[in-house]
Each structure stands twice: as C-alpha cells, then as structure tokens.
Amino acid sequence: MTAQRGKTIVSSAHLADGAVPALSELEFSLTLAATAYHRWIARCATAAGIALAPLDVLILHTVRHRDRPKRLADVALVLDIEDTHLVTYAIRKLDQAGLVATHRAGKEKLVTATDKGRDFCTAYRDLRETMLAEAIAADGPDAAQLSQAAALLRRLSGQYNQAARAAATL
C-alpha cells in the first residue's frame, strides 16, 4: 500500500533501503494483517461463546476439518507449527474445555472435535458469515482476488520458510 504522495508505508526504513524496498512495505502489511486476523479470531470465538486464544481456535478448526480424527503431528504440519508443544498444550486446553477428545490408536494420539466443539465451530462460522463474509461479498475483494492473494501468500510462505532454513545454518 502506498501513501498519497508516493511514499511507501514501512515500519523499518532501514529494511526498506535494500534490494527490494517493497518487501519492507509487504512485511509491515503482513504484521498489521496478522495482528488484525488474530484479534478477529479471538473476538469471534468470544462472541461464539468461548474465550480462546487465536492458536486454540485455529487448532480446533483444523481438528474439526472434515470431521476425521487428526494426529497431533498432522495438526502441527497443516498449521506449519514448528514447536509441537504449542499444539499439545492447546489440545490439552481444548480437551479440558470439552471441545475436543483424544484417544490412542496404537502409538498415535488422535484428536477429534466433540459435539460441543462442533457446535462452537458452527457458531463461529455463522458469526463469520454475518460479520465478515457478507461485508467482503458486498465490498470486495472478489473471489478471484482473494484466491490470487492466497496463492501469493502461500508462495511467500515458502520463500520465508526457505530463508529461515538458510538462516538456521549460519
């Protein structure tokens, strides 16, 4: 996003003077978007009846996806969470809240959404439709633009992950 006078909006000018100045602008926008998204997730969860941290909500929706049991490792993989203890801790909290249930299948620990968890996900979805999806459908961006943005963000995620792996070797 650029300002009216043609200046880019960055939070760290010293990062914007390199080979790709627009990267600093993008990173600042990602920071704002991530913060707003996490705030939305937490507030929507509270409005749906249960105060949860953003990661707890994301994990619950991942567990609820297609109503099939999930391995903890798969939840971490899908959400690109490197620290598996974060997933374990979130699932423990969701289990204590009655939103998920865990069981063993051989050596694997599997997690599924309970009826209470599915009801919460439905309430969350209904609020999301009313408060967010309807506004986006009315004002944009349209479906094609959303899909293009999602593809760009997935590609950038890969580039950031590759850069993180390279940095870990220094």
Side-chain angles (χ1 to χ4, degrees):
M1 182 174 206
T2 56
Q4 290 179 352
R5 289 179 235 158
K7 294 184 181 185
T8 58
I9 299 172
V10 299
S11 66
S12 303
H14 61 281
L15 297 177
D17 63 4
V20 185
L23 187 58
S24 183
E25 182 178 17
L26 171 77
E27 290 171 343
F28 183 53
S29 295
L30 283 172
T31 299
L32 296 177
T35 301
Y37 180 58
H38 285 165
R39 182 181 309 115
W40 157 251
I41 292 170
R43 298 236 170 109
C44 186
T46 300
I50 303 173
L52 296 171
L55 183 59
D56 301 338
V57 177
L58 292 172
I59 288 174
L60 178 56
H61 285 304
T62 301
V63 168
R64 170 70 169 71
H65 180 63
R66 300 194 193 280
D67 287 320
R68 287 185 233 149
K70 307 291 186 302
R71 295 180 324 132
L72 272 63
D74 291 335
V75 172
L77 179 67
V78 166
L79 294 174
D80 197 19
I81 298 172
E82 195 171 306
D83 299 324
T84 55
H85 72 278
L86 295 173
V87 175
T88 301
Y89 181 64
I91 288 175
R92 188 176 315 126
K93 290 191 306 183
L94 293 169
D95 190 21
Q96 290 172 351
L99 299 168
V100 301
T102 60
H103 65 279
R104 292 253 177 221
K107 293 183 179 182
E108 297 289 343
K109 185 174 185 178
L110 299 176
V111 60
T112 56
T114 62
D115 288 341
K116 182 179 177 182
R118 285 188 292 279
D119 289 346
F120 169 83
C121 289
T122 299
Y124 183 101
R125 183 200 59 217
D126 292 346
L127 287 166
R128 181 177 171 271
E129 281 297 311
T130 301
M131 295 180 195
L132 185 62
E134 289 178 8
I136 288 174
D139 296 332
D142 65 26
Q145 291 170 316
L146 289 172
S147 291
Q148 288 172 341
L152 175 61
L153 289 172
R154 283 191 303 273
R155 191 168 72 238
L156 286 167
S157 294
Q159 291 168 326
Y160 274 97
N161 276 328
Q162 179 59 35
R165 282 189 293 276
T169 66
L170 298 180

